[in-house]
Amino acid sequence: MTAGTTSLLAYIPSPPQGVWYVGPLALRAYALFIIIGIVVAIVWGDRRWVARGGDKGTVLDVAVWAVPFGLIGGRLYHVITDAPTYFGEGGNPVDAVKIWQGGLGIWGAVLLGGVGAWIACRRRGIPLPAFGDAVAPPILLAQAIGRIGNYFNQELYGRETTLPWGLEIYQRVDANGRVDSLAGVSTGLVERVVHPTFLYELLWNVVVVVLLVIVDRRFRLGHGRVFALYVAGYCAGRFVIELMRTDYATLIGGIRVNSFTSGIVFLLAAAYVVLARKGREDPATLATTDRTPVEPEDTDGDRTGSDDTVTAGAAPESSGEQKAGPHKSGQQESSTQEPS
């Protein structure tokens, strides 16, 4: 690339830094955008869950379990697939726990995050597949927002390019003048111009989010099929984008491990979409039921026997009254419109 050619192109500049210090406190753009993404996913996900027949506040309750599990799973996947970076020659094993430096594998996050969600859904007595359908588009939107953090970190970019939307990667140094591409400040020196693959993924995620909402409304999908479509759609884009990246990654047969993962997970998700039960769950089945047994005390202060145990949300069968199940009001059942 000649100097004359460079001057004619309007490349995308990288931010001068991704970390700001307020005294000893480090404010990291990467963490900020992850937090914003989580908040957006919880707020929008709750609206979608209520529109499908669930109880307000359920998504936040499930997120208390799913988010920590997801962060741990995402970091574990990253560390395992990039093990030489932390445990190989010149690596520092302590860096494996420094999640604020970047490095979360989405498949590990979805896997363990799903385990956390399953635990929370079991505790609340709601079906996990239906919950996954409600939160799938918001989760993918959160992933798109999180990619902005990669922009500030100058990471997850592709090979060099002369395209007008190429991304300028700056040299960054710390206060002592040592090169620090993560926490340093730009010197203004452009080291190279590359494909902004993080931006490609961000845009692809937004496209898939829109398609998921449209398809879900048009065909009234349920039983986990929206979530499976989210996984398949994301993997399809990620497979292509991985082929454009040049940053370090573990290779299998000369192919990046994330490409293998994308392909395998895509096939599994596509199979689920085809084989899963059609239609959508009855809204009455999505209401929260507390499965924790409550044992009221008798007048003497002793616990009553097991025959007197009352489960919240269920009326005594001997009363002759209609059993109270996870039933929603007629007004809520008739709701078919979901927020976009």
Side-chain angles (χ1 to χ4, degrees):
M1 183 190 307
T2 64
T5 302
T6 303
S7 63
L8 296 175
L9 299 179
Y11 294 132
I12 302 173
S14 290
Q17 63 193 100
V19 182
W20 295 264
Y21 291 92
V22 180
L25 179 64
L27 304 178
R28 302 178 183 274
Y30 182 78
L32 172 63
F33 285 103
I34 287 179
I35 293 172
I36 292 175
I38 291 173
V39 172
V40 169
I42 291 173
V43 173
W44 186 25
D46 203 57
R47 291 183 61 197
R48 281 179 53 85
W49 179 245
V50 170
R52 294 175 90 91
D55 295 327
K56 187 175 180 59
T58 297
V59 173
L60 178 59
D61 292 340
V62 175
V64 170
W65 286 84
V67 171
F69 273 70
L71 291 175
I72 294 172
R75 188 60 177 179
L76 284 175
Y77 179 89
H78 169 75
V79 171
I80 290 172
T81 55
D82 285 340
T85 300
Y86 304 99
F87 306 105
E89 183 178 355
N92 183 2
V94 176
D95 290 341
V97 299
K98 296 180 179 179
I99 193 172
W100 56 88
Q101 293 185 352
L104 291 174
I106 183 59
W107 295 280
V110 171
L111 180 60
L112 276 194
V115 172
W118 175 79
I119 294 173
C121 286
R122 287 277 295 177
R123 289 168 59 89
R124 295 184 67 90
I126 57 178
L128 177 62
F131 182 83
D133 287 338
V135 300
I139 288 175
L140 188 53
L141 182 59
Q143 290 176 225
I145 295 172
R147 285 304 179 208
I148 302 175
N150 299 133
Y151 172 55
F152 279 85
N153 276 5
Q154 290 195 143
E155 60 186 0
L156 302 189
Y157 50 78
R159 55 182 175 269
E160 294 191 33
T161 181
T162 59
L163 291 172
W165 56 83
L167 177 71
E168 294 178 332
I169 299 298
Y170 298 145
Q171 180 190 71
R172 289 177 175 178
V173 298
D174 62 17
N176 297 317
R178 293 189 295 265
V179 174
D180 186 344
S181 59
L182 182 66
V185 178
S186 170
T187 64
L189 174 64
V190 178
E191 295 183 333
R192 53 193 174 279
V193 179
V194 298
H195 278 282
T197 49
F198 74 88
L199 178 60
Y200 299 162
E201 184 174 325
L202 186 160
L203 296 175
W204 173 253
N205 288 353
V206 172
V207 169
V208 175
V209 167
V210 174
L211 291 176
L212 287 175
V213 172
I214 293 174
V215 171
D216 188 27
R217 285 181 171 179
R218 174 67 178 81
F219 299 102
R220 293 187 55 79
L221 301 179
H223 304 286
R225 297 173 76 204
V226 180
F227 190 87
L229 281 175
Y230 141 62
V231 173
Y234 173 78
C235 288
R238 183 63 181 268
F239 180 86
V240 175
I241 293 170
E242 278 292 321
L243 300 178
M244 304 176 64
R245 288 173 56 178
T246 58
D247 53 322
Y248 172 79
T250 302
L251 304 178
I252 300 177
I255 300 176
R256 297 168 69 94
V257 66
N258 284 337
S259 294
F260 276 103
T261 305
S262 296
I264 294 171
V265 176
F266 170 83
L267 293 175
L268 294 174
Y272 185 92
V273 173
V274 174
L275 300 175
R277 182 179 173 183
K278 306 302 186 289
R280 181 177 291 185
E281 296 84 356
D282 182 346
T285 66
L286 306 186
T288 299
T289 58
D290 186 356
R291 295 186 174 181
T292 304
V294 178
E295 299 180 355
E297 296 182 356
D298 61 18
T299 55
D300 295 326
D302 298 328
R303 295 286 185 182
T304 60
S306 58
D307 291 339
D308 295 328
T309 299
V310 177
T311 301
E317 295 184 12
S318 60
S319 65
E321 299 175 358
Q322 182 181 4
K323 296 179 183 178
H327 184 69
K328 304 302 288 183
S329 67
Q331 181 180 0
Q332 192 169 6
E333 288 183 15
S334 63
S335 175
T336 59
Q337 296 297 322
E338 297 180 10
S340 60

